Amino acid sequence: DKESFYFVGHYWGLVHPYYYRMCFPLAVTKWFHQRVLRRPFFCYDGCAQYLTAPWVPHLLRSVTPNAKFIICVRDPVLQNLSWWRFECQAMQWGDSLGLGTCGDGPDGKLRFARFDYPPESLSAAFSLSASPPVQELYRRAELLEGWRLPPWTLTWPNGQLSSFTQNGRYADNIKRYLRHFTREQIEIVEVVNADMV
């Protein structure tokens, strides 16, 4: 399984390092792969949200200080367009299941303190992500401590479609990781195939 989304709070905001192990196969799975199937065993957690969620690097450092990272970067415009399409489809899927959009409660009000959400267009999403209130949420998120994330962070401050300006700030996001890990632990790969939208 590629993306656990653990440290961005998909497990009801729980981000305690001890429970991160539930996102990985059991030791018997590794044994079965190597001894019975006679195949190499490789296990990783690859989550794009880990790069831009401000609180993740220090949590990762606490659980796996010797981790190696592969950071894939691409044209931020293509990345945001791809993310916009994905999230809009995910919200439509959630609505079709009766789950409600972006945390709607039974009374039609948002359960989480979000504003101007979801944005009505890609342009509105970009404007929202650059707005002073969202920028302030990201600033506050940099200072988070503890093992449970507050509801306003799930997932990303003010929701996934509020992250566009942060997504494309690769240098800022990588610098955040370099405060917790060495440069030798980080490999940066540029995705240049424009067809990968």
Coordinates of all heavy atoms in Angstrom, one line a residue, residues 51-102:
L51 N 5.1 16.2 2.0 CA 6.0 17.3 1.6 C 5.5 18.6 2.1 O 6.3 19.5 2.5 CB 6.3 17.3 0.1 CG 7.3 18.3 -0.4 CD1 8.7 18.1 0.3 CD2 7.4 18.3 -1.9
T52 N 4.2 18.9 1.9 CA 3.7 20.2 2.2 C 3.0 20.4 3.5 O 2.7 21.5 3.9 CB 2.7 20.6 1.1 OG1 1.7 19.6 0.9 CG2 3.4 20.9 -0.2
A53 N 2.7 19.3 4.2 CA 2.1 19.5 5.6 C 3.2 19.9 6.5 O 4.1 19.1 6.8 CB 1.4 18.2 6.0
P54 N 3.1 21.1 7.1 CA 4.2 21.7 7.9 C 4.7 20.9 9.1 O 5.8 21.0 9.5 CB 3.6 23.0 8.3 CG 2.5 23.3 7.4 CD 1.9 22.0 7.0
W55 N 3.8 20.1 9.7 CA 4.2 19.4 10.9 C 4.8 18.0 10.7 O 5.3 17.4 11.6 CB 2.9 19.2 11.8 CG 1.8 18.5 11.0 CD1 1.7 17.1 10.9 CD2 0.8 19.1 10.3 NE1 0.6 16.8 10.1 CE2 0.0 18.0 9.7 CE3 0.4 20.4 10.0 CZ2 -1.1 18.2 8.9 CZ3 -0.7 20.6 9.2 CH2 -1.4 19.5 8.7
V56 N 4.8 17.5 9.4 CA 5.2 16.2 9.2 C 6.7 15.9 9.4 O 7.1 14.9 10.0 CB 4.8 15.7 7.8 CG1 5.4 14.4 7.4 CG2 3.3 15.6 7.7
P57 N 7.7 16.8 8.9 CA 9.1 16.4 9.0 C 9.5 16.0 10.5 O 10.2 15.1 10.7 CB 9.8 17.6 8.5 CG 8.9 18.3 7.6 CD 7.5 18.0 8.2
H58 N 9.1 16.8 11.4 CA 9.6 16.5 12.8 C 8.9 15.2 13.3 O 9.5 14.5 14.1 CB 9.4 17.7 13.8 CG 8.0 17.8 14.4 ND1 7.0 18.6 13.8 CD2 7.5 17.3 15.5 CE1 6.0 18.5 14.5 NE2 6.2 17.8 15.6
L59 N 7.7 14.9 12.9 CA 7.1 13.6 13.3 C 7.8 12.5 12.7 O 8.1 11.5 13.3 CB 5.6 13.6 12.9 CG 4.7 14.6 13.7 CD1 3.3 14.6 13.0 CD2 4.6 14.2 15.1
L60 N 8.2 12.6 11.4 CA 8.9 11.5 10.7 C 10.3 11.3 11.4 O 10.7 10.2 11.6 CB 9.1 11.8 9.2 CG 7.9 11.6 8.3 CD1 8.1 12.2 6.9 CD2 7.5 10.2 8.3
R61 N 10.9 12.4 11.7 CA 12.2 12.3 12.4 C 12.1 11.5 13.7 O 13.0 10.8 14.1 CB 12.8 13.7 12.6 CG 14.0 13.7 13.5 CD 15.2 13.9 12.6 NE 16.4 13.9 13.5 CZ 17.5 13.2 13.1 NH1 17.6 12.6 12.0 NH2 18.5 13.2 13.9
S62 N 11.0 11.8 14.4 CA 10.8 11.1 15.7 C 10.6 9.6 15.6 O 11.0 8.8 16.5 CB 9.7 11.7 16.5 OG 8.4 11.4 15.9
V63 N 10.1 9.1 14.5 CA 9.8 7.7 14.3 C 10.9 7.0 13.5 O 11.2 5.8 13.7 CB 8.4 7.5 13.7 CG1 8.3 7.9 12.3 CG2 8.0 6.1 13.9
T64 N 11.5 7.7 12.5 CA 12.5 7.1 11.7 C 13.6 8.0 11.3 O 13.6 8.6 10.1 CB 11.8 6.4 10.5 OG1 12.8 5.8 9.7 CG2 11.0 7.3 9.7
P65 N 14.5 8.3 12.2 CA 15.5 9.4 11.9 C 16.5 9.0 10.7 O 17.1 9.9 10.2 CB 16.3 9.5 13.2 CG 16.0 8.2 13.9 CD 14.7 7.7 13.5
N66 N 16.6 7.8 10.4 CA 17.5 7.3 9.3 C 16.8 7.2 8.0 O 17.3 6.5 7.0 CB 18.2 6.1 9.7 CG 19.1 6.3 10.9 OD1 19.7 7.3 11.0 ND2 19.1 5.3 11.8
A67 N 15.5 7.6 7.8 CA 14.7 7.5 6.6 C 15.4 8.1 5.4 O 16.2 9.0 5.5 CB 13.4 8.1 6.8
K68 N 15.1 7.6 4.3 CA 15.6 8.1 3.0 C 14.3 8.6 2.3 O 13.3 8.0 2.3 CB 16.2 7.0 2.1 CG 17.4 6.3 2.8 CD 18.6 7.2 2.8 CE 19.8 6.3 3.2 NZ 20.9 7.0 3.8
F69 N 14.5 9.7 1.6 CA 13.3 10.3 1.0 C 13.6 10.5 -0.5 O 14.7 10.9 -1.0 CB 13.0 11.7 1.5 CG 12.7 11.7 3.0 CD1 13.7 11.8 4.0 CD2 11.4 11.5 3.4 CE1 13.4 11.8 5.3 CE2 11.1 11.4 4.8 CZ 12.1 11.6 5.7
I70 N 12.5 10.3 -1.3 CA 12.5 10.6 -2.7 C 11.4 11.6 -2.9 O 10.3 11.3 -2.7 CB 12.3 9.4 -3.6 CG1 13.3 8.3 -3.4 CG2 12.2 9.8 -5.1 CD1 13.0 7.0 -4.1
I71 N 11.9 12.8 -3.3 CA 10.9 13.9 -3.4 C 10.7 14.2 -4.9 O 11.7 14.5 -5.6 CB 11.4 15.2 -2.7 CG1 11.5 14.9 -1.2 CG2 10.5 16.4 -3.0 CD1 12.0 16.1 -0.4
C72 N 9.5 13.9 -5.4 CA 9.2 14.2 -6.8 C 8.7 15.6 -7.0 O 7.7 15.9 -6.3 CB 8.3 13.1 -7.3 SG 8.9 11.4 -7.3
V73 N 9.3 16.3 -7.9 CA 8.8 17.7 -8.2 C 8.4 17.7 -9.6 O 8.9 17.0 -10.5 CB 9.8 18.8 -7.8 CG1 10.1 18.7 -6.3 CG2 11.1 18.6 -8.6
R74 N 7.4 18.6 -9.9 CA 7.0 18.8 -11.3 C 6.5 20.2 -11.5 O 6.3 20.9 -10.5 CB 6.0 17.7 -11.8 CG 4.7 17.8 -11.1 CD 3.8 16.7 -11.5 NE 2.4 17.1 -11.8 CZ 1.5 16.2 -12.1 NH1 1.8 14.9 -12.2 NH2 0.3 16.6 -12.3
D75 N 6.2 20.5 -12.7 CA 5.6 21.9 -13.0 C 4.4 22.1 -12.0 O 3.5 21.3 -12.0 CB 5.1 21.9 -14.4 CG 4.5 23.2 -14.8 OD1 3.9 23.9 -13.9 OD2 4.6 23.6 -16.0
P76 N 4.5 23.1 -11.1 CA 3.5 23.4 -10.2 C 2.1 23.6 -10.8 O 1.1 23.2 -10.2 CB 3.9 24.6 -9.4 CG 5.4 24.7 -9.6 CD 5.6 24.1 -11.0
V77 N 2.0 24.1 -12.0 CA 0.7 24.3 -12.6 C 0.1 23.0 -12.9 O -1.1 22.8 -12.7 CB 0.9 25.2 -13.9 CG1 -0.4 25.2 -14.7 CG2 1.4 26.6 -13.6
L78 N 0.9 22.1 -13.5 CA 0.4 20.7 -13.8 C 0.0 20.0 -12.5 O -1.0 19.3 -12.5 CB 1.4 19.9 -14.6 CG 1.7 20.4 -16.0 CD1 2.8 19.6 -16.7 CD2 0.4 20.5 -16.8
Q79 N 0.8 20.2 -11.5 CA 0.5 19.5 -10.2 C -0.8 20.0 -9.6 O -1.7 19.2 -9.2 CB 1.6 19.8 -9.2 CG 1.4 19.1 -7.9 CD 2.4 19.5 -6.8 OE1 3.2 20.4 -7.0 NE2 2.3 18.9 -5.7
N80 N -1.0 21.3 -9.7 CA -2.3 21.9 -9.1 C -3.5 21.5 -9.9 O -4.5 21.2 -9.4 CB -2.2 23.4 -9.0 CG -1.3 23.8 -7.8 OD1 -1.1 23.1 -6.9 ND2 -0.8 25.0 -7.9
L81 N -3.3 21.5 -11.3 CA -4.4 21.0 -12.1 C -4.8 19.6 -11.8 O -6.0 19.2 -11.7 CB -4.0 21.2 -13.6 CG -5.1 20.8 -14.6 CD1 -6.4 21.6 -14.4 CD2 -4.6 21.0 -16.0
S82 N -3.8 18.7 -11.7 CA -4.0 17.3 -11.4 C -4.7 17.2 -10.0 O -5.7 16.4 -9.8 CB -2.7 16.6 -11.3 OG -2.9 15.3 -10.9
W83 N -4.2 17.9 -9.0 CA -4.8 17.9 -7.7 C -6.2 18.4 -7.7 O -7.1 17.8 -7.0 CB -3.9 18.6 -6.7 CG -4.3 18.3 -5.3 CD1 -5.0 19.0 -4.4 CD2 -4.0 17.0 -4.6 NE1 -5.2 18.3 -3.2 CE2 -4.6 17.1 -3.3 CE3 -3.4 15.9 -5.0 CZ2 -4.5 16.0 -2.5 CZ3 -3.3 14.8 -4.1 CH2 -3.8 14.9 -2.8
W84 N -6.5 19.4 -8.4 CA -7.9 20.0 -8.5 C -8.8 18.9 -9.1 O -9.9 18.7 -8.5 CB -7.9 21.2 -9.4 CG -9.2 21.7 -9.7 CD1 -9.9 21.5 -10.9 CD2 -10.1 22.5 -8.9 NE1 -11.2 22.1 -10.8 CE2 -11.3 22.7 -9.6 CE3 -10.0 23.0 -7.6 CZ2 -12.4 23.4 -9.1 CZ3 -11.1 23.7 -7.1 CH2 -12.2 23.9 -7.8
R85 N -8.4 18.3 -10.2 CA -9.3 17.3 -10.8 C -9.5 16.1 -9.8 O -10.6 15.6 -9.6 CB -8.6 16.7 -12.0 CG -8.7 17.7 -13.2 CD -7.9 17.2 -14.4 NE -8.0 18.1 -15.5 CZ -7.1 18.0 -16.5 NH1 -6.2 17.1 -16.6 NH2 -7.2 18.9 -17.5
F86 N -8.4 15.6 -9.2 CA -8.5 14.5 -8.2 C -9.5 14.9 -7.1 O -10.4 14.1 -6.7 CB -7.2 14.2 -7.7 CG -7.2 13.1 -6.6 CD1 -7.4 11.8 -6.9 CD2 -7.1 13.5 -5.3 CE1 -7.4 10.9 -5.8 CE2 -7.2 12.6 -4.2 CZ -7.3 11.3 -4.5
E87 N -9.3 16.0 -6.5 CA -10.1 16.4 -5.3 C -11.5 16.6 -5.7 O -12.5 16.2 -4.9 CB -9.5 17.6 -4.6 CG -10.1 17.9 -3.3 CD -10.0 16.8 -2.2 OE1 -9.1 15.9 -2.4 OE2 -10.8 16.8 -1.3
C88 N -11.8 17.2 -6.8 CA -13.2 17.4 -7.2 C -13.9 16.1 -7.5 O -15.0 15.9 -7.1 CB -13.2 18.3 -8.5 SG -12.9 20.0 -8.2
Q89 N -13.2 15.1 -8.1 CA -13.8 13.8 -8.3 C -14.0 13.1 -7.0 O -15.0 12.4 -6.8 CB -12.9 13.0 -9.2 CG -12.9 13.5 -10.6 CD -11.9 12.8 -11.5 OE1 -11.1 12.0 -11.1 NE2 -11.9 13.2 -12.8
A90 N -13.0 13.3 -6.0 CA -13.2 12.6 -4.7 C -14.4 13.2 -4.0 O -15.2 12.4 -3.3 CB -11.9 12.8 -3.9
M91 N -14.6 14.5 -4.1 CA -15.8 15.1 -3.4 C -17.1 14.6 -4.1 O -18.1 14.4 -3.4 CB -15.7 16.6 -3.4 CG -14.6 17.1 -2.4 SD -14.6 18.9 -2.2 CE -14.2 19.5 -3.8
Q92 N -17.1 14.5 -5.4 CA -18.3 14.0 -6.1 C -18.6 12.5 -5.7 O -19.7 12.2 -5.4 CB -18.1 14.1 -7.6 CG -18.1 15.5 -8.2 CD -17.8 15.5 -9.6 OE1 -17.4 14.5 -10.2 NE2 -17.9 16.7 -10.2
W93 N -17.5 11.7 -5.6 CA -17.6 10.4 -5.1 C -18.2 10.3 -3.7 O -19.1 9.6 -3.4 CB -16.3 9.7 -5.2 CG -16.3 8.3 -4.7 CD1 -16.8 7.2 -5.3 CD2 -15.8 7.8 -3.4 NE1 -16.6 6.0 -4.5 CE2 -16.0 6.4 -3.3 CE3 -15.2 8.5 -2.3 CZ2 -15.6 5.7 -2.2 CZ3 -14.8 7.7 -1.2 CH2 -15.0 6.3 -1.2
G94 N -17.7 11.2 -2.8 CA -18.2 11.2 -1.4 C -19.6 11.6 -1.4 O -20.4 11.0 -0.6
D95 N -20.0 12.6 -2.2 CA -21.4 13.0 -2.3 C -22.3 11.9 -2.8 O -23.4 11.7 -2.3 CB -21.6 14.2 -3.2 CG -21.0 15.5 -2.6 OD1 -20.8 15.6 -1.3 OD2 -20.9 16.5 -3.3
S96 N -21.8 11.1 -3.7 CA -22.6 10.0 -4.3 C -22.9 8.9 -3.3 O -23.9 8.2 -3.3 CB -22.0 9.4 -5.5 OG -20.8 8.6 -5.2
L97 N -22.0 8.9 -2.3 CA -22.2 7.9 -1.2 C -22.9 8.5 0.0 O -23.1 7.8 1.0 CB -20.8 7.4 -0.7 CG -20.0 6.6 -1.7 CD1 -18.6 6.3 -1.1 CD2 -20.7 5.3 -2.1
G98 N -23.3 9.7 -0.1 CA -24.0 10.4 1.0 C -23.1 10.8 2.1 O -23.6 11.1 3.2
L99 N -21.8 10.9 1.8 CA -20.9 11.3 2.9 C -20.8 12.8 3.1 O -20.4 13.3 4.2 CB -19.5 10.9 2.5 CG -19.3 9.3 2.4 CD1 -17.9 9.0 1.9 CD2 -19.6 8.6 3.7
G100 N -21.3 13.6 2.2 CA -21.3 15.1 2.3 C -19.9 15.6 1.9 O -18.9 14.9 1.9
T101 N -19.9 16.8 1.5 CA -18.6 17.4 1.0 C -17.9 18.1 2.1 O -18.5 18.9 2.9 CB -19.0 18.4 -0.1 OG1 -19.6 17.8 -1.1 CG2 -17.7 19.1 -0.7
C102 N -16.6 17.9 2.2 CA -15.7 18.6 3.1 C -16.2 18.8 4.5 O -16.1 19.8 5.1 CB -15.3 20.0 2.5 SG -16.6 21.2 2.4

